[in-house]
Amino acid sequence: MRLALAESERAALSGDVPVGAVVLDADGTLLAAGHNERELTGDPTGHAEVLAIRRAAEQLGGWRLTGCTLVVTLEPCTMCAGAITQSRVDRVVYGARDEKAGAAGSLWDVVRDRRLNHRPEVIAGVLERECATALTDFFRDR
């Protein structure tokens, strides 16, 4: 989670909401990282999770991220939850809950919906205070 927090700091530098994500392989080796880049690139899909997943797939040479763990500072939204499910990530670890748009247990639970063919394990609240503080500070300063 500390690697994801470091990524979130990069997002804030470009005026993006400070969310960071990393993808680890089954051995815990870093495959890819990403941070929000919507403001930087003008891309509405430029969420940390989507970018980290894309980069991990590129690194592995295929779209299936079986055995991988996605670590992200903020609970994924519905778009990111869809990307997580489609990429076959085995585990999602997140820090701060997102009561307004969270799709991994807060507002929705897309990633564990029994109607879907893939449901990753979800671990919530890792370094939650640090992750939430980064977001609160960012929005307070705006």
Side-chain angles (χ1 to χ4, degrees):
M1 185 60 75
R2 298 240 181 255
L3 293 172
L5 277 164
E7 281 295 318
S8 75
E9 292 172 12
R10 291 182 182 95
L13 292 174
S14 63
D16 277 284
V17 176
V19 177
V22 296
V23 176
L24 310 172
D25 71 10
D27 295 326
T29 302
L30 178 68
L31 288 176
H35 57 270
N36 277 2
E37 294 183 9
R38 291 189 314 167
E39 298 298 330
L40 181 67
T41 63
D43 178 359
T45 68
H47 286 203
E49 301 95 310
V50 170
L51 297 172
I53 287 169
R54 284 178 186 160
R55 292 169 183 157
E58 186 177 321
Q59 179 74 17
L60 292 174
W63 62 269
R64 289 179 185 86
L65 302 185
T66 306
C68 293
T69 298
L70 173 72
V71 181
V72 60
T73 58
L74 179 65
E75 180 181 358
C77 70
T78 54
M79 176 183 67
C80 294
I84 289 163
T85 301
Q86 292 299 316
S87 68
R88 309 299 195 266
V89 167
D90 280 359
R91 184 176 304 101
V92 177
V93 177
Y94 72 84
R97 291 173 54 90
D98 187 349
E99 299 294 338
K100 294 180 181 179
S106 291
L107 187 57
W108 296 287
D109 202 354
V110 172
V111 295
R112 292 180 286 200
D113 189 315
R114 292 178 180 256
R115 295 168 293 184
L116 299 175
N117 65 332
H118 180 74
R119 293 178 299 278
E121 175 186 9
V122 176
I123 300 169
V126 175
L127 296 181
E128 183 173 14
R129 186 173 175 191
E130 292 91 330
C131 294
T133 298
L135 291 159
T136 301
D137 291 351
F138 175 81
F139 286 113
R140 184 188 60 235
D141 294 344
R142 286 183 91 69

